[in-house]
């Protein structure tokens, strides 16, 4: 089924006939446009289109399927019949065969039923197709009366209209017949016979608008392409001072290319001039200083030794000059001077100490590379001109060779060397007439001007040929030539007299004498022709050998140019290596300088930090000295308490030793275990890390004892239960008080 949004193919000029295939799966339509459309009944959006007939001849008028639906017959105007058959694939042929078999079975099963129906229809009485007055209804009778009344009323008007329509039809048919006999360029299509002028004007306006739009699009596209072409040409062609070119050998595959070179920018030229000026000043300054040193040296010498020293100095100077010439390549560092790359401003390789000198050397080396390429390109252009000259000389010789070959009637081929597109790149930008394969469009005005020019040229030639006494006299008297051509005359046969065709017995004496003279003359003529043939053959071989020798000489010259190109390539690759070395050294120096600046900045920071730390260390030392003095004082006080014990308890001489032991007694767990401090020191020595965690000290352990635990231990020791026998309470209190003072002193220490 067709949906409202579906787009299907249709006939351009209407449908003439629809036909359904026998298996009722295909539907075909024929149109007056000459087209045939085939669709599936189940899916009519897809169609197979073919054009069996011409739309100018009423297109396709009828079509029919074959019984097996494998052939289609179409009928056109003027008794044109086309038969179409399906080209199935393997799968399609199987399906088509199955459909045909099914159709045969259906037709066979319905055959008996059709025969019975036909027999019954033949036995039925005939029925009149025209209704009688008795069979017609009242409404049909009224309508018939009304139609008859209208026909009688408007009979004259209808007849007049029919007559005018017939006249228009006749005129249109005459126009169609005359159009069929017109030439192809003047013949109109059937659609151009338009009677609706308003529709024609509207379509014409739409076509003009579309044409104008297409023209504008083409112009914009052409303008964009021209702009792109100009950009590419200006960047890749006009900017080149020397265009890339190739010279090919006459024989063989040898070819040599030049060095394409871009024009130098203003900045490069300005920088080169600045460097040369600086180098000129430097060299002049050096020469002036050397001259001043020589003058001072010579003035200090005695007059009697001047001549000898001058001679020795002259010999040494000559030897020095020879040594400089021998070591020029080593001092320069490449083979550039041998190929036009020498420069008096270049530094020696032993003078490139400062970054400024290296930068100047890079600029001068780039100029040397440019001049090496220029030197080779000059030699290249000379060889290119030599090839053009050789080709011109070969063409001149080929004119004579072609004439000799024509006279001798030989089949030898001429050697015609030409310059290829790679050898003349300027021709790549020029379009030749023979390269354009599309016929040039000429407007009517241009075509009229061209025809007028051709007509005037033809009239001029006819006028010159019509009455030209000089040419007419030349043709009549000298055969159209001002100079006699002996070579052409010798290769023409002598005209034989008429009597030479007679039988010798029928000739007269005069004819016999004339025949003998003619035979003698003909023998001399043939001898001269043979001499001329040999001379021409010798000249031909000489010209050919000359051309071959010239081509070989040019190829040899091109081989030398190729060797020069190899050496020039070597020199050109050496110069960039020197530039890369200088650039690398500059980069290394810049990196070293940058690293030096960083280290200097780091050194300054460290010096500042050292100054700050020295102040802190001085303050820490002062505090340490104060703490040490306080510690020494406290230690002295503690020892004083220990020494004054026996003096304070002198009244208890019997118990002084026992009381001293109780005086030294402390709570259990307060003292450091032996070796704890030494173990911590050993761990620090083993780790060798000044930032590792420091071991606990005795003072630290004492500080970490619980104050409550210490007090409890001392209170337990102060209990009277620990008082020895024989000691009274007053003495015990004195011992407890002294021990407390000693304990507080030890705790502070």
């Amino acid at each position: 089924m067709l949906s409202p949004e579906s787009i299907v193919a249709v006939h351009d000029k209407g449908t003439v006939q629809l036909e359904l295939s026998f298996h009722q799966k295909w539907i075909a339509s024929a149109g007056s446009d000459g087209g045939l459309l085939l669709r599936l009944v189940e899916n009519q959006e897809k169609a197979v289109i073919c054009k069996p007939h011409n739309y100018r001849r009423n297109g396709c008028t009828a079509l029919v399927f074959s019984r097996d639906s494998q052939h289609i017959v179409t009928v056109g105007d003027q008794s044109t019949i086309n038969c179409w058959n399906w080209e199935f694939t393997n799968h399609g042929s199987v399906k088509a065969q199955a459909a045909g078999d099914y159709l045969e079975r259906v037709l066979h099963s319905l055959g008996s039923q059709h025969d019975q129906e036909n027999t019954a229809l033949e036995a039925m009485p005939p029925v009149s197709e025209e209704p009688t007055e008795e069979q017609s209804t009242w409404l049909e009778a009224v309508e018939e009366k009304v139609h008859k009344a209208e026909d009688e009323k408007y009979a004259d008007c209808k007849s007049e209209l029919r007559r005018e329509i017939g006249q228009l039809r006749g005129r249109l048919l005459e126009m169609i017949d005359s159009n069929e006999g017109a030439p192809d360029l003047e013949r109109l299509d059937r659609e151009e016979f338009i009677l609706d002028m308003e529709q024609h004007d509207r379509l014409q306006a739409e076509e003009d608008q579309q044409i104008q739009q297409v023209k504008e699009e083409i112009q914009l596209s052409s303008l964009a392409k021209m702009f792109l072409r100009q950009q590419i040409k200006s960047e890749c062609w006009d900017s080149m001072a020397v265009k890339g070119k190739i010279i090919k050998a006459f024989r063989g595959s040898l070819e040599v290319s030049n060095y394409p070179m871009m024009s130098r920018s203003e900045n490069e030229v300005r920088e080169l001039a600045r460097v040369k000026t600086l180098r000129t000043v430097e060299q002049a300054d050096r020469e002036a200083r050397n001259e001043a040193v020589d003058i001072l040296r010579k003035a200090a010498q005695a007059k009697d030794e001047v001549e000898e020293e001058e001679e020795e100095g002259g010999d040494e100077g000559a030897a020095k000059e020879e040594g400089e010439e021998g070591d020029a390549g080593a001092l320069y560092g490449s083979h550039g001077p041998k190929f036009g790359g020498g420069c008096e401003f270049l530094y020696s390789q032993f003078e490139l100490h400062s970054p400024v000198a290296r930068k100047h050397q890079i600029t001068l080396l780039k100029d040397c590379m440019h001049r090496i390429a220029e030197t080779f390109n000059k030699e290249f252009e000379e060889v290119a001109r030599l090839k053009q000259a050789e080709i011109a000389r070969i063409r001149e010789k080929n004119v004579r060779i072609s004439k000799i070959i024509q006279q001798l009637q030989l089949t030898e081929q001429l050697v015609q060397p030409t310059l290829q597109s790679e050898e003349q790149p300027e021709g790549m930008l020029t379009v030749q007439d023979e390269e354009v394969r599309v016929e040039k469009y000429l407007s009517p005005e241009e075509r009229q001007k061209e025809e007028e020019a051709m007509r005037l040229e033809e009239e001029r030639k006819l006028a010159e040929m019509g009455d030209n006494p000089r040419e007419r006299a030349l043709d009549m008297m000298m055969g159209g030539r001002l100079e006699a051509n002996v070579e052409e005359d010798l290769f023409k046969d002598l005209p034989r007299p008429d009597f030479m065709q007679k039988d010798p017995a029928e000739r007269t004496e005069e004819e016999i004498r004339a025949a003998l003279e003619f035979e003698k003359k003909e023998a001399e003529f043939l001898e001269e022709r043979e001499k001329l043939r040999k001379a021409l053959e010798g000249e031909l071989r000489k010209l050919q050998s000359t051309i071959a020798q010239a081509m070989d000489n040019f190829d040899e010259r091109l081989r030398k140019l190729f060797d020069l190109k190899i050496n020039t390539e070597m020199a050109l690759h050496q110069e960039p290596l020197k530039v890369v070395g200088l650039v690398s050294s500059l980069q290394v120096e810049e990196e070293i300088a940058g690293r030096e600046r960083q280290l200097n900045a780091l050194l300054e920071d460290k010096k500042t930090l050292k100054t700050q730390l020295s102040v802190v260390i001085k303050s820490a030392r002062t505090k340490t000295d104060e703490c040490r003095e306080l510690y020494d004082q406290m230690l002295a006080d503690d020892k004083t308490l220990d020494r004054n014990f026996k003096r304070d308890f002198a009244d208890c001489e019997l118990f002084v030793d026992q009381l001293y032991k109780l005086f030294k007694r402390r709570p259990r767990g307060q003292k450091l275990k032996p070796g704890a401090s030494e173990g911590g020191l050993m761990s620090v020595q083993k780790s060798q890390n000044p930032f590792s965690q420091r071991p606990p000290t005795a003072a630290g352990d004492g500080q970490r004892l619980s104050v409550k635990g210490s007090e409890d231990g001392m209170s337990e020791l102060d209990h009277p239960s620990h008082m020895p026998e024989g000691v009274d309470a007053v003495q015990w209190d004195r011992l407890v008080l002294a021990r407390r003072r000693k304990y507080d002193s030890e705790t502070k220490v």
Side-chain angles (χ1 to χ4, degrees):
M1 298 299 293
L2 293 176
S3 60
E5 298 180 355
S6 300
I7 300 175
V8 297
V10 297
H11 293 282
D12 297 334
K13 298 180 65 176
T15 303
V16 175
Q17 183 181 353
L18 291 173
E19 186 72 18
L20 186 66
S21 64
F22 283 92
H23 51 59
Q24 299 182 358
K25 292 185 178 181
W26 300 336
I27 184 171
S29 62
S32 56
D33 59 348
L36 175 64
L37 300 181
L38 291 170
R39 297 184 179 88
L40 290 173
V41 176
E42 298 176 353
N43 183 14
Q44 298 187 19
E45 294 182 358
K46 296 182 179 180
V48 178
I49 305 173
C50 55
K51 294 285 186 178
H53 301 283
N54 193 347
Y55 69 91
R56 295 180 180 177
R57 298 180 180 178
N58 297 330
C60 185
T61 58
L63 68 92
V64 66
F65 277 96
S66 64
R67 194 166 183 178
D68 56 356
S69 300
Q70 306 233 350
H71 297 80
I72 303 173
V73 178
T74 59
V75 181
D77 195 11
Q78 297 182 358
S79 302
T80 302
I81 299 176
N82 291 334
C83 182
W84 303 81
N85 65 322
W86 286 99
E87 292 183 358
F88 295 105
T89 60
N90 295 331
H91 182 65
S93 61
V94 172
K95 294 180 69 175
Q97 185 65 30
D101 296 341
Y102 174 74
L103 178 62
E104 290 293 336
R105 290 195 299 270
V106 170
L107 293 177
H108 181 71
S109 63
L110 296 178
S112 59
Q113 185 177 356
H114 289 171
D115 295 338
Q116 294 176 3
E117 291 176 355
N118 292 334
T119 303
L121 290 174
E122 290 176 357
M124 292 176 61
V127 179
S128 177
E129 296 181 358
E130 297 180 358
T132 60
E133 294 181 359
E134 296 178 355
Q135 296 176 350
S136 61
T137 62
W138 175 82
L139 182 60
E140 292 176 351
V142 172
E143 289 179 354
E144 186 177 358
K145 290 179 181 180
V146 171
H147 289 322
K148 287 182 180 180
E150 289 180 354
D151 292 340
E152 292 176 357
K153 183 178 180 180
Y154 299 105
D156 297 337
C157 183
K158 288 182 178 181
S159 62
E160 183 65 21
L161 290 174
R162 290 191 186 95
R163 186 180 62 80
E164 292 179 358
I165 291 172
Q167 292 178 357
L168 291 175
R169 183 175 181 275
R171 291 178 59 185
L172 183 61
L173 291 175
E174 291 178 359
M175 294 171 63
I176 292 174
D177 293 338
S178 62
N179 180 63
E180 292 293 336
D184 293 338
L185 295 177
E186 299 179 2
R187 187 180 303 163
L188 301 176
D189 294 336
R190 186 64 64 88
E191 291 82 359
E192 296 182 4
F193 286 93
I194 299 172
L195 300 179
D196 190 352
M197 299 306 297
E198 294 180 357
Q199 179 73 5
H200 176 267
D201 295 339
R202 184 179 64 80
L203 294 176
Q204 188 68 30
E206 291 179 357
E207 290 179 358
D208 294 340
Q209 184 179 0
Q210 293 178 359
I211 291 172
Q212 185 64 26
Q213 183 178 358
V214 171
K215 284 184 178 180
E216 292 177 357
E217 292 177 357
I218 293 174
Q219 289 176 357
L220 291 176
S221 177
S222 300
L223 184 61
K225 292 178 181 178
M226 291 174 63
F227 176 76
L228 181 60
R229 173 253 185 195
Q230 186 62 29
Q231 286 292 109
I232 295 175
K233 183 175 181 292
S234 61
E235 294 179 4
C236 304
W237 183 261
D238 296 338
S239 61
M240 301 297 294
V242 178
K243 278 75 175 178
K245 190 185 295 185
I246 292 177
I247 300 178
K248 295 186 177 182
F250 287 119
R251 299 175 180 177
S253 58
L254 180 63
E255 59 182 29
V256 181
S257 61
N258 66 344
Y259 291 104
M261 300 174 61
M262 296 185 67
S263 301
R264 292 185 179 181
S265 62
E266 295 181 0
N267 295 332
E268 293 177 351
V269 175
R270 193 182 303 112
E271 178 66 17
L272 180 62
R274 185 184 69 84
V275 172
K276 287 184 177 180
T277 303
L278 292 176
R279 285 292 296 153
T280 303
V281 174
E282 290 178 2
Q283 291 176 354
D285 179 68
R286 180 182 297 176
E287 291 177 0
R289 284 189 282 109
N290 292 335
E291 290 177 359
V293 171
D294 292 340
I295 291 172
L296 293 175
R297 182 177 58 81
K298 291 179 180 179
Q301 294 176 352
K303 292 183 179 181
D304 54 352
E305 298 176 354
V306 170
E307 295 180 358
E308 296 178 0
E309 291 180 357
E310 287 180 354
E311 292 177 358
E312 293 177 0
D315 296 339
E316 291 177 357
K320 184 177 181 181
E321 290 179 358
E322 293 177 358
E324 289 180 353
E325 291 178 359
D327 297 339
L331 296 177
Y332 185 75
S334 67
H335 297 283
K338 298 179 182 178
F339 303 98
C343 181
E344 66 275 9
F345 300 109
L346 284 172
Y347 290 89
S348 172
Q349 293 192 96
F350 302 104
E351 298 176 354
L352 298 173
H353 305 297
S354 64
V356 176
R358 295 176 186 176
K359 292 179 180 179
H360 291 175
Q361 186 79 343
I362 290 173
T363 303
L364 294 173
L365 287 175
K366 290 180 179 179
D367 179 62
C368 292
M369 294 164 60
H370 186 82
R371 286 188 286 105
I372 289 172
E374 280 186 343
T375 303
F376 177 80
N377 286 341
K378 290 180 181 178
E379 186 70 19
F380 181 89
E381 290 297 330
E382 183 179 352
V383 177
R385 288 192 294 270
L386 177 61
K387 183 173 183 179
Q388 293 178 358
E390 290 294 340
I391 290 176
R393 286 192 287 269
I394 290 173
R395 287 177 179 174
E396 292 177 358
K397 291 180 174 63
N398 281 339
V399 174
R400 177 58 180 168
I401 291 174
S402 60
K403 189 174 182 180
I404 294 174
I405 290 175
Q406 182 180 3
Q407 291 175 351
L408 298 178
Q409 297 180 358
L410 301 176
T411 58
E412 296 185 5
Q413 298 293 330
L414 294 177
V415 178
Q416 297 179 348
T418 57
L419 293 177
Q420 300 183 9
S421 58
E422 296 87 351
E423 298 178 286
Q424 43 184 0
E426 295 81 4
M428 300 289 290
L429 302 178
T430 304
V431 180
Q432 304 295 334
D433 293 339
E434 58 269 11
E435 295 178 357
V436 180
R437 300 180 181 179
V438 181
E439 184 179 358
K440 183 179 179 181
Y441 171 75
L442 297 176
S443 62
E445 294 80 5
E446 294 176 346
R447 189 178 291 106
Q448 185 177 0
K449 290 181 181 179
E450 186 177 1
E451 292 177 355
E452 183 67 19
M454 292 175 63
R455 185 181 61 80
L456 294 176
E457 181 66 19
E458 190 68 22
E459 290 179 356
R460 185 186 64 80
K461 290 182 179 180
L462 291 174
E464 291 179 356
M465 293 176 62
D467 187 10
N468 192 339
R470 182 176 179 277
E471 292 184 0
R472 188 169 62 252
L474 188 63
D475 291 337
M476 293 176 61
M477 300 177 63
M478 304 184 66
R481 295 182 303 180
L482 291 175
E483 298 178 356
N485 194 337
V486 179
E487 295 178 356
E488 292 183 0
D489 294 340
L490 286 175
F491 283 98
K492 292 181 180 179
D493 294 333
L494 291 176
R496 299 177 68 85
D498 296 336
F499 61 84
M500 294 294 293
Q501 299 178 359
K502 295 181 181 180
D503 191 290
E506 298 178 356
R507 297 176 185 174
T508 61
E509 293 181 358
E510 295 181 358
E511 291 177 349
I512 292 172
R513 285 194 299 271
L516 293 175
E517 292 179 359
F518 177 78
E519 290 176 355
K520 183 179 179 181
K521 184 177 180 181
E522 186 177 16
E524 294 176 354
F525 180 79
L526 293 176
E527 185 179 356
E528 291 293 331
R529 177 187 291 181
E530 188 63 25
K531 291 180 180 180
L532 179 61
R533 180 183 296 277
K534 292 181 180 180
L536 291 177
E537 288 179 353
E539 184 181 359
L540 176 63
R541 299 293 176 259
K542 184 178 179 181
L543 290 173
Q544 290 176 346
S545 62
T546 303
I547 292 174
Q549 184 65 29
M551 295 171 68
D552 293 339
N553 292 337
F554 175 80
D555 291 346
E556 184 64 26
R557 178 68 182 277
L558 188 63
R559 290 188 189 94
K560 293 180 180 179
L561 181 65
F562 180 75
D563 296 338
L564 179 62
K565 177 68 178 294
I566 297 297
N567 295 325
T568 306
E569 285 282 344
M570 179 180 62
L572 282 177
H573 283 81
Q574 288 176 347
E575 302 301 324
L577 290 176
K578 296 197 304 185
V579 172
V580 170
L582 293 174
V583 172
S584 177
S585 64
L586 289 175
Q587 291 179 351
V588 171
E589 286 190 0
E590 290 179 359
E591 292 177 359
I592 293 174
R595 182 60 178 167
E596 183 179 359
R597 289 192 295 268
Q598 293 178 358
L599 293 176
N600 289 332
L602 182 60
L603 180 61
E604 294 297 329
D605 294 340
K606 296 299 181 182
K607 287 181 179 180
T608 304
L609 181 61
K610 181 180 179 181
T611 304
Q612 296 174 356
L613 290 176
S614 62
V615 176
V616 174
I617 291 171
K618 185 177 181 181
S619 176
R621 284 178 179 175
T622 303
K623 291 181 180 181
T624 303
D625 294 339
E626 293 175 356
C627 292
R628 187 176 296 280
E629 291 177 0
L630 180 61
Y631 173 76
D632 293 339
Q633 184 179 358
M634 293 173 64
L635 187 61
D637 294 340
D638 183 67
K639 290 181 179 180
T640 302
L641 290 174
D642 196 7
R643 287 194 301 268
N644 293 336
F645 178 79
K646 291 183 178 182
R647 182 175 58 80
D648 292 340
F649 288 88
D651 56 343
C652 301
E653 294 180 1
L654 298 176
F655 306 102
V656 65
D657 295 333
Q658 190 175 2
L659 291 176
Y660 184 74
K661 291 180 180 180
L662 292 174
F663 176 76
K664 300 293 288 183
R665 188 177 181 182
R666 298 291 183 268
R668 186 174 297 177
Q670 183 180 356
K671 294 183 179 181
L672 289 173
K673 294 181 180 180
S677 178
E678 296 176 359
L681 181 60
M682 291 176 63
S683 64
V684 172
Q685 292 176 353
K686 289 180 180 179
S687 64
Q688 299 296 327
N689 186 1
F691 301 102
S692 63
Q693 186 176 1
R694 301 188 66 180
T697 61
D701 287 344
Q703 291 177 1
R704 285 193 296 271
L705 287 175
S706 175
V707 177
K708 184 178 179 181
S710 300
E711 291 295 332
D712 293 342
M714 292 303 296
S715 298
E716 183 181 356
L717 292 176
D718 294 342
H719 196 271
S721 60
H722 297 284
M723 184 175 59
E725 294 180 0
V727 178
D728 55 6
V730 177
Q731 293 175 348
W732 178 255
D733 291 337
R734 287 169 55 197
L735 175 65
V736 170
L737 182 60
R739 189 168 56 186
R740 281 283 181 178
R741 287 198 300 268
K742 178 66 175 175
Y743 175 75
D744 292 339
S745 177
E746 290 178 353
T747 302
K748 290 180 181 180
V749 172

